[in-house]
Amino acid sequence: MGKRFRKKKKNKNKKKNRKKKQNQNENKNCFNSETQNPRRDRNSVVEDKKEDLISRLPDEILFCIISLLPTKSAAQTRSLSTRWRNLWSKALMLHGRTEQILQVITGFLDDFEELDLLKQFRWLQYQFSQNGILLARIQDQKELHLDFHENQETPKNFDWHLKLHSIKQSNFSLSAIKVLCLTSVSSLTKETVSGLISRFSFLESLEIVECKGLKSLRIEAGSKLRSLTVLDCPQLDEVYVFSYNLQNFQFRGWLPWFWIKDVPYLEDAMLDFREGPAHYPFSCENLLTLLLAVANVKILTLSGWILEVPVPRWLPTAGVILGRGDFVLNNLKELWWIDSSMEKHKIEALGSFLKLCPYLEKLFITIDPTSYCYPSKEQSRFWIEYSSKVANNTRLFHLRMVKMEGFTNPEDEKLLGEYLLEKVVSTEPIMITAPKEDGWSKNCTQQLVKIAHTKHQQKTH
């Protein structure tokens, strides 16, 4: 009986081992069948990739797809694939009305703060009205550019009064903006932009560029605005600036009526009036008032023709200057001088002004033949008499470098150099002349005018 039991147990173990071996063979065959045809698997992967037709569309179409999604859903598209990862930070396209611009920009900044964790460059395209387009660009988390495009053959004239920092409390995304650049604001968008600007409670720098139709600009800023730039607004006739802590002011265009009040900390002033005066007859008193306002700057850009304008002695401002003798630029270290040529009477005008800059260290002279030239070729006696009266030193002891660009005639360079050595400087400065090509001076290393000059725009009223 014991033998029968051991035999039965042995047969049972054989059946168990046979079944186990059979299962192992089946698994092995299955594995071989999968590994012996790797091409099929690669093809299936390629087929899967071919099925993602949307990701293969051009960026412009994908931008449109993103713009149709809710903001948070659009942000989540970054996790779809590497193709979608950078689309969110590149563009957002929206459509609406002019009245909604404030809401759209506010939402754009809020979304950028909340969802774009890397705080990278991002832009928005917003189409408003029938043919208006706004391109908004944000970078470095604190700099906002708003560029308006409207198809108006004849822009409507408008006055613009900006009150900065008028709303003390604003959301976090608006308070983070420190630099604002506005391009081509028109009569249709000025109110919306004004409402937006008032909400930037910590704005430090404002730039206004190419606003056609802008006739009068009035800016009232709190203590936070440090830099103001106004460039190429061809219809601008009046400028009022009230900003106590303003340190940098740059203006390029026709010389308008200027009122700059309460700027005791102004250090850098660019008064590029090479286009000429915006008003006829020309107001000498307003010009003298402007020069008094920038008398304490360290860096000054000036158009030479304004010193050729005859100044009547009976003007109240002229009387103040002659009586007190306080128009001396004791803080000036760099002078950037722009003129149409460098003839004898223009050299004398420059020389009389240099005597009012006793601590000048660097002089940059740019000759632009297209710059405005005052009709009279005789220098105003006002500046000759005044500089001779108030200048403590007849010569400059600190001028170490003179750099010239744009001279078309070598004789003009030689004449200027001889005049400076003979009547202005005490020691010979380093004279740097831009290399010439075909009779024109070209500087291959540095442009003398601090802001690249564009083509002259025709003055229209």
Side-chain angles (χ1 to χ4, degrees):
M1 185 170 179
K3 290 183 179 180
R4 187 183 301 172
F5 177 78
R6 285 194 297 271
K7 187 176 182 181
K8 186 176 181 181
K9 186 176 180 180
K10 188 176 181 180
N11 292 336
K12 188 176 181 180
N13 290 335
K14 284 183 179 181
K15 289 181 180 180
K16 189 176 180 179
N17 292 335
R18 194 183 302 116
K19 188 174 182 181
K20 184 177 180 180
K21 189 174 182 180
Q22 184 177 359
N23 291 336
Q24 289 178 351
N25 292 333
E26 290 177 358
N27 291 335
K28 187 176 181 180
N29 292 335
C30 181
F31 175 79
N32 292 335
S33 64
E34 291 179 356
T35 56
Q36 287 176 359
N37 193 11
R39 184 179 300 177
R40 181 181 61 84
D41 291 336
R42 287 198 294 267
N43 290 338
S44 64
V45 173
V46 174
E47 290 175 0
D48 292 339
K49 288 184 178 181
K50 288 183 178 179
E51 291 177 359
D52 187 10
L53 299 177
I54 295 180
S55 295
R56 301 178 62 187
L57 294 173
D59 286 353
E60 291 76 9
I61 297 179
L62 295 180
F63 290 159
C64 294
I65 294 175
I66 292 177
S67 67
L68 298 175
L69 299 174
T71 304
K72 291 187 177 181
S73 299
Q76 292 172 354
T77 59
R78 292 178 296 180
S79 61
L80 293 178
S81 66
T82 55
R83 177 72 174 86
W84 289 80
R85 185 173 301 165
N86 296 325
L87 292 175
W88 164 251
S89 62
K90 288 183 179 178
L92 187 62
M93 301 177 64
L94 299 174
H95 302 266
R97 301 189 306 274
T98 306
E99 298 78 13
Q100 297 175 306
I101 292 179
L102 178 59
Q103 178 182 355
V104 169
I105 296 300
T106 303
F108 173 62
L109 295 176
D110 289 340
D111 294 340
F112 180 80
E113 178 64 33
E114 178 182 356
L115 299 174
D116 197 341
L117 300 179
L118 297 178
K119 303 296 182 294
Q120 296 176 343
F121 167 89
R122 186 182 170 212
W123 65 272
L124 159 75
Q125 178 174 320
Y126 179 70
Q127 184 171 349
F128 59 95
S129 66
Q130 293 183 349
N131 52 11
I133 296 177
L134 166 62
L135 297 179
R137 175 164 53 93
I138 185 171
Q139 60 190 47
D140 299 331
Q141 195 180 355
K142 63 180 181 179
E143 186 172 336
L144 177 63
H145 295 252
L146 300 179
D147 190 352
F148 293 86
H149 297 267
E150 300 178 58
N151 294 328
Q152 298 185 43
E153 295 183 0
T154 306
K156 184 179 178 181
N157 292 336
F158 66 99
D159 300 335
W160 200 5
H161 186 185
L162 292 174
K163 290 185 177 182
L164 279 66
H165 316 119
S166 58
I167 298 179
K168 296 184 179 180
Q169 294 182 350
S170 60
N171 60 33
F172 180 78
S173 61
L174 294 178
S175 62
I177 297 299
K178 301 293 191 299
V179 180
L180 178 62
C181 303
L182 303 172
T183 303
S184 301
V185 177
S186 68
S187 59
L188 300 177
T189 55
K190 69 156 187 173
E191 294 298 336
T192 300
V193 175
S194 298
L196 179 64
I197 291 178
S198 64
R199 287 168 167 77
F200 294 129
S201 54
F202 293 95
L203 191 66
E204 297 178 358
S205 177
L206 175 63
E207 182 174 325
I208 299 174
V209 182
E210 296 179 358
C211 295
K212 296 181 180 179
L214 178 59
K215 296 284 288 183
S216 175
L217 178 62
R218 184 184 183 94
I219 296 178
E220 297 180 31
S223 60
K224 296 180 178 64
L225 189 67
R226 299 290 190 272
S227 177
L228 174 63
T229 301
V230 181
L231 303 176
D232 305 329
C233 300
Q235 286 80 35
L236 190 57
D237 288 335
E238 298 177 344
V239 177
Y240 305 80
V241 178
F242 304 89
S243 180
Y244 184 74
N245 283 332
L246 192 66
Q247 298 177 1
N248 186 304
F249 176 69
Q250 297 181 326
F251 182 91
R252 183 175 66 203
W254 305 85
L255 172 58
W257 287 86
F258 248 110
W259 283 267
I260 300 182
K261 303 293 183 181
D262 300 326
V263 286
Y265 302 107
L266 191 63
E267 296 184 352
D268 187 348
M270 186 184 84
L271 306 177
D272 186 347
F273 302 135
R274 73 179 78 188
E275 302 285 355
H279 293 276
Y280 296 95
F282 178 74
S283 174
C284 292
E285 185 172 5
N286 182 253
L287 174 60
L288 294 178
T289 303
L290 175 61
L291 292 177
L292 284 173
V294 300
N296 294 321
V297 299
K298 296 180 180 179
I299 303 173
L300 177 63
T301 301
L302 205 60
S303 295
W305 68 264
I306 64 176
L307 267 73
E308 302 173 32
V309 178
V311 179
R313 290 176 173 270
W314 51 263
L315 283 177
T317 308
V320 170
I321 291 178
L322 288 172
R324 298 190 315 193
D326 58 354
F327 183 71
V328 179
L329 293 85
N330 288 318
N331 296 328
L332 192 64
K333 305 298 182 184
E334 292 185 14
L335 176 62
W336 301 66
W337 191 266
I338 305 171
D339 217 328
S340 59
S341 62
M342 198 49 66
E343 303 171 22
K344 182 178 179 180
H345 71 283
K346 291 181 178 292
I347 293 177
E348 292 177 350
L350 173 60
S352 63
F353 190 82
L354 289 176
K355 292 179 180 180
L356 302 176
C357 314
Y359 299 101
L360 188 67
E361 298 176 357
K362 298 178 181 180
L363 173 61
F364 302 87
I365 303 174
T366 298
I367 299 301
D368 180 4
T370 63
S371 178
Y372 175 79
C373 182
Y374 193 76
S376 175
K377 291 192 175 182
E378 295 183 2
Q379 186 201 359
S380 171
R381 300 300 304 176
F382 176 85
W383 294 108
I384 294 179
E385 296 176 3
Y386 179 73
S387 61
S388 300
K389 176 183 177 181
V390 303
N392 295 325
N393 298 315
T394 57
R395 292 182 178 272
L396 302 182
F397 292 91
H398 303 276
L399 186 60
R400 296 290 181 264
M401 186 190 77
V402 178
K403 191 168 185 178
M404 298 177 286
E405 182 188 52
F407 285 75
T408 59
N409 187 352
E411 293 298 324
D412 291 341
E413 293 179 358
K414 182 179 178 181
L415 185 64
L416 174 60
E418 292 176 349
Y419 181 87
L420 293 176
L421 293 175
E422 181 180 351
K423 297 185 177 182
V424 178
V425 298
S426 60
T427 58
E428 183 176 355
I430 299 175
M431 307 287 289
I432 302 176
T433 303
K436 303 177 185 60
E437 182 177 334
D438 297 332
W440 288 87
S441 296
K442 293 187 177 181
N443 193 334
C444 302
T445 59
Q446 180 183 2
Q447 180 72 22
L448 289 187
V449 180
K450 289 178 288 185
I451 295 182
H453 181 61
T454 56
K455 294 182 179 180
H456 297 295
Q457 302 182 41
Q458 186 175 0
K459 176 71 175 177
T460 56
H461 297 277

